[in-house]
Amino acid sequence: MFASKRLGKELAKIHDKLPPGISVAKAEDLQEWQMDIKVLDDNPLYRDETYRLTFHFSSKYPIEPPEVTFNRTGGFKVPIHPHIYSNGFICLDLLGKQGWSPVQNVESVCMSIQSMLTGNTKNERPPDDEEFSSRNTKRPRDVNFYYHDNDV
Amino acid sequence: MNSAPPRTSGPQPRLCAQSSADASDDLSRDPTIVHRTPADPEAVYINKPVEGNQEAQRGRESPAENAEEVPARIPSEEDEPRKCWICFSDETEDTPLTSEWRTPCPCALTAHESCLLDWIADLEAPNPNRRTAVPAKILCPQCKSEIKVARPRSIIVESVNAVERILGKAVVPGAFTVIAGSIWAGCLVHGIATVHLIFGREGATRILTYGLVPQADPLTELFAQHSAIVPRWNLPLSLGLPLIPVALIFSRTSVADSVLPLVPITFFIAQNNDWDRWDLTRWPPSPAMVIATLPYLRVAYNELYERVFGARERRWIKEIQPRSGETEQDINGGDIHQAPENDAQRQDEQNLLMEINVEVEVVDDDEGVNNDLPPGQQEAAQGPAAAGDQAAEPHGRHNNFVISTSQLVDTILGALVFPGVSAAMGYILQLTLPRSWTTPPFSGPFGRTRLTGLLQARWGRSIVGGCIFVVLKDALTLYCRWKLAQGHRKRQVVDYDRKKKKTESR
């Protein structure tokens, strides 16, 4: 009830207006949305690519953070980034329990991820990507990410 | 609000079509969409009690409310309705059930009290990742100023929280204290057992109860005499006794060569009573004197061993190495180590011992036994207490410093068992030597007896026995080396005799 009220508000807002490079792909219910993001500058890592994010909302949203992952299916690629695992998991502090606060919303999360990509110059995966992506069976919210650094 | 999902489905298809069109025309967003879209969501989501078409709503709303809603879209107006930063609904949607508005911090964020309390409850919820039950402060996510919550105070709850916080901080130091205490207690017990073995029961009781006031309460006295547990806090004893096993272990290595001679001295200087008086002219010397000279004896013995047998032993060991496995470099390396400069040796051995910590967990037993150092030298370095039989396993030579766990355990166990071995040797001495050598000439009260020989006291026999054991063991090891080396060239592989259907030695 809490979540649906707030998500209804957000849905209205994002259908109304979104920053450039971010668009709604699918928002048919109040549990899962899909958002498309593009990196607008000429970053060669992400040029001309559209990435699709899946948002999962729990019933305690926005008290609890949404689960946000990059889609691997449907012809979408997971952008290469030192904080993004090849299974689509994103290591971003504002998506964790410690970094999240209810002032964040779908739009601001999309913008954070977009700027995270924009600012990146490293063509690499996280150092433990191979092991994590192949072994991990947990959901994103149950993973304790160790935030390697703050410079990206 | 439970009707929210059906309502979203109403305008949905159209909006989806729009947004996918957005995506396809590459972000050059048609400005008309901005004008077109607000109408529907506004109608559907903001005015929740009203169903029906948008014209009807507009008609029913008061002009003032309508005017307020438009600036809500353009957030710069002064008198916009307050909007909860948690549930995103604004003042216009308040019902009688909605809780009050709060502005807890200097910045523009305002929220429903119930939303804030939900959020705070989530922050304060016990979390396995968090150590203390209650976070220190709740900060506004925007301006980072503290959000104060007034709540009924309970002295008990607060003091429990405070205690929990203190305990949480004390966990690591506490664990270290417990571990250190256990090690200390183990060493203390071993030290007491050592004193018992070397000095015998009466001598041990004398040493261990030293410092007791004679009029100590009978219980303590009894306790001390019969179990020989240090009866009260006595600094030299409670520090000195646990140092016994430590010193024993170190004396099997060469790390503490420079410090080791000091340990017994400080212990026994602190023990300075009548019995242990320093008197260099007295024969037999006092136990303190003898024990304090042991480290020097050890150094001298090592040196002598190295001078006399070191080179030969290494030659014998080299003799039985597989020739093919030996390269020029290995031999050179060995030669460098054979240089008798003590400093260089010590340096090497220290490197080796540093390495123990690193390697112990990784190395398997068969992965090479500390063979960079020529084993003879290694043995020599380990002193009279050592004469390690591990040196008798010269399989293959490796250039990296590696020590195996089994060897480490062997060193430590050997060191800890050594007092027992010494005592056993002392007992054998007592049984084998003529009675006149091992009995004090006059049997007065213990300790006042004037001894005329080292072997007349149990401690003396134990120490001499220990020394004899070391020498015998070294001799045996050396003999085996020599014999092996001698026999090495004469080895033959035995042919299988087909007639007798067994191998036949010629």
Side-chain angles (χ1 to χ4, degrees):
Chain A
M1 138 88 191
F2 201 75
S4 52
K5 188 170 151 200
R6 152 105 178 213
L7 283 170
K9 297 275 171 198
E10 284 196 46
L11 192 64
K13 178 129 191 308
I14 61 176
H15 279 311
D16 174 10
K17 189 175 184 302
L18 273 174
I22 298 173
S23 54
V24 188
K26 178 168 158 277
E28 287 162 2
D29 53 33
L30 296 179
Q31 274 91 49
E32 184 191 311
W33 293 2
Q34 297 196 337
M35 305 289 291
D36 283 349
I37 62 171
K38 293 181 177 199
V39 177
L40 295 178
D41 69 351
D42 270 347
N43 192 331
L45 293 171
Y46 313 115
R47 197 187 301 155
D48 299 331
E49 284 285 352
T50 302
Y51 300 106
R52 180 157 290 182
L53 287 165
T54 300
F55 283 70
H56 276 281
F57 304 102
S58 77
S59 62
K60 284 169 96 184
Y61 180 83
I63 301 297
E64 278 184 356
E67 280 182 4
V68 185
T69 51
F70 275 103
N71 276 23
R72 277 191 294 179
T73 50
F76 289 98
K77 285 189 245 165
V78 177
I80 188 127
H81 188 281
H83 290 177
I84 299 172
Y85 291 86
S86 49
N87 61 359
F89 284 30
I90 304 163
C91 176
L92 179 64
D93 68 338
L94 69 80
L95 295 177
K97 219 163 172 15
Q98 305 296 315
W100 173 259
S101 91
V103 272
Q104 305 291 347
N105 54 52
V106 174
E107 182 186 325
S108 73
V109 169
C110 287
M111 287 169 71
S112 296
I113 293 171
Q114 191 188 35
S115 75
M116 179 172 137
L117 295 180
T118 309
N120 177 43
T121 53
K122 295 184 194 158
N123 185 15
E124 57 187 42
R125 291 285 177 202
D128 51 343
D129 177 57
E130 202 170 305
E131 202 207 335
F132 177 78
S133 302
S134 56
R135 296 232 186 117
N136 182 63
T137 52
K138 293 184 190 167
R139 306 186 54 189
R141 71 148 156 262
D142 299 324
V143 176
N144 280 320
F145 283 114
Y146 168 74
Y147 301 105
H148 305 280
D149 50 62
N150 298 315
D151 59 345
V152 185
Chain B
M1 228 29 220
N2 50 4
S3 57
R7 251 188 265 154
T8 44
S9 63
Q12 202 54 52
R14 194 151 52 107
L15 291 169
C16 267
Q18 274 174 7
S19 58
S20 56
D22 267 4
S24 61
D25 69 10
D26 202 10
L27 305 167
S28 56
R29 201 179 296 244
D30 182 1
T32 58
I33 291 172
V34 181
H35 296 302
R36 238 189 302 143
T37 38
D40 282 315
E42 210 171 297
V44 173
Y45 296 111
I46 295 182
N47 300 312
K48 49 181 176 163
V50 189
E51 301 248 22
N53 77 42
Q54 137 193 10
E55 301 306 323
Q57 286 168 29
R58 300 253 167 188
R60 261 175 277 159
E61 277 164 8
S62 71
E65 206 179 346
N66 208 351
E68 264 177 10
E69 255 183 64
V70 179
R73 299 272 138 197
I74 308 147
S76 59
E77 298 283 323
E78 281 277 303
D79 54 350
E80 62 184 278
R82 288 183 287 186
K83 188 177 166 201
C84 174
W85 63 269
I86 293 175
C87 69
F88 277 24
S89 49
D90 59 32
E91 245 177 332
T92 57
E93 299 162 64
D94 281 357
T95 64
L97 294 175
T98 320
S99 71
E100 287 181 61
W101 287 88
R102 298 285 176 200
T103 47
C105 55
C107 69
L109 292 183
T110 68
H112 293 114
E113 184 166 43
S114 61
C115 295
L116 276 173
L117 288 176
D118 267 356
W119 172 59
I120 290 166
D122 180 68
L123 287 181
E124 289 182 342
N127 178 335
N129 297 331
R130 214 179 290 139
R131 196 155 271 178
T132 51
V134 176
K137 278 179 180 175
I138 291 154
L139 301 180
C140 164
Q142 197 74 50
C143 64
K144 305 293 175 204
S145 50
E146 186 184 353
I147 293 175
K148 294 202 173 82
V149 184
R151 60 183 112 203
R153 313 202 116 208
S154 154
I155 293 171
I156 293 176
V157 170
E158 270 166 35
S159 47
V160 166
N161 279 342
V163 168
E164 266 179 11
R165 227 168 289 161
I166 292 167
L167 287 183
K169 280 177 192 157
V171 162
V172 176
F176 276 114
T177 313
V178 167
I179 291 169
S182 315
I183 292 172
W184 177 83
C187 289
L188 180 67
V189 168
H190 183 275
I192 291 170
T194 302
V195 170
H196 261 260
L197 281 168
I198 302 295
F199 290 90
R201 187 196 169 116
E202 277 145 15
T205 311
R206 241 190 108 74
I207 291 176
L208 296 177
T209 55
Y210 170 69
L212 263 190
V213 191
Q215 288 84 22
D217 61 301
L219 191 68
T220 316
E221 194 90 55
L222 196 75
F223 192 56
Q225 280 191 357
H226 290 284
S227 64
I229 286 169
V230 184
R232 61 173 58 181
W233 184 250
N234 176 325
L235 194 67
L237 281 179
S238 40
L239 288 182
L241 287 173
L243 275 179
I244 290 176
V246 176
L248 281 171
I249 291 168
F250 276 132
S251 64
R252 289 202 72 170
T253 69
S254 61
V255 219
D257 266 355
S258 47
V259 210
L260 213 50
L262 302 176
V263 175
I265 295 179
T266 45
F267 174 38
F268 281 105
I269 282 177
Q271 270 282 94
N272 193 9
N273 62 8
D274 284 350
W275 194 41
D276 294 328
R277 181 139 306 164
W278 293 90
D279 183 0
L280 294 172
T281 59
R282 208 173 82 181
W283 184 262
S286 70
M289 191 65 207
V290 171
I291 289 173
T293 50
L294 279 181
Y296 304 109
L297 201 65
R298 165 181 172 268
V299 171
Y301 176 80
N302 284 350
E303 191 63 23
L304 190 73
Y305 184 94
E306 174 63 23
R307 293 253 163 110
V308 179
F309 295 110
R312 280 180 235 189
E313 191 182 21
R314 279 189 287 278
R315 209 177 57 231
W316 294 336
I317 287 166
K318 218 158 84 182
E319 191 85 11
I320 56 171
Q321 304 291 314
R323 302 287 155 187
S324 53
E326 199 156 301
T327 65
E328 192 73 20
Q329 232 178 357
D330 276 336
I331 297 168
N332 287 346
D335 284 341
I336 288 166
H337 284 303
Q338 281 165 29
E341 279 102 41
N342 257 340
D343 281 349
Q345 285 176 19
R346 197 166 295 161
Q347 198 59 47
D348 279 349
E349 283 148 14
Q350 272 176 2
N351 288 345
L352 177 85
L353 284 155
M354 297 292 217
E355 209 64 26
I356 292 179
N357 295 328
V358 186
E359 295 282 353
V360 148
E361 309 210 344
V362 206
V363 178
D364 282 328
D365 284 357
D366 51 355
E367 216 180 304
V369 191
N370 177 28
N371 274 319
D372 188 75
L373 220 56
Q377 183 184 318
Q378 165 197 335
E379 181 182 84
Q382 281 172 352
D389 44 0
Q390 68 273 18
E393 318 169 330
H395 317 296
R397 295 158 72 100
H398 296 261
N399 275 330
N400 39 357
F401 288 116
V402 168
I403 219 167
S404 71
T405 17
S406 76
Q407 188 180 352
L408 191 72
V409 170
D410 181 82
T411 305
I412 291 173
L413 283 188
L416 295 182
V417 162
F418 187 65
V421 174
S422 305
M425 288 298 288
Y427 189 62
I428 292 172
L429 283 180
Q430 190 183 12
L431 294 181
T432 50
L433 291 178
R435 203 172 162 72
S436 60
W437 290 19
T438 55
T439 336
F442 168 70
S443 52
F446 184 79
R448 300 286 171 231
T449 319
R450 187 74 190 162
L451 300 176
T452 55
L454 202 55
L455 294 176
Q456 286 168 2
R458 176 170 168 161
W459 60 266
R461 288 193 297 274
S462 302
I463 288 168
V464 171
C467 293
I468 290 174
F469 173 77
V470 169
V471 173
L472 282 180
K473 185 164 175 260
D474 278 358
L476 195 67
T477 314
L478 267 183
Y479 174 78
C480 292
R481 294 254 156 84
W482 174 71
K483 202 70 192 159
L484 272 176
Q486 260 206 335
H488 193 73
R489 294 233 171 106
K490 299 177 186 163
R491 292 172 309 161
Q492 283 179 328
V493 178
V494 178
D495 282 332
Y496 181 79
D497 191 330
R498 297 190 182 277
K499 287 172 191 165
K500 293 183 181 176
K501 292 196 173 176
K502 65 176 183 182
T503 53
E504 185 188 26
S505 55
R506 279 164 287 184

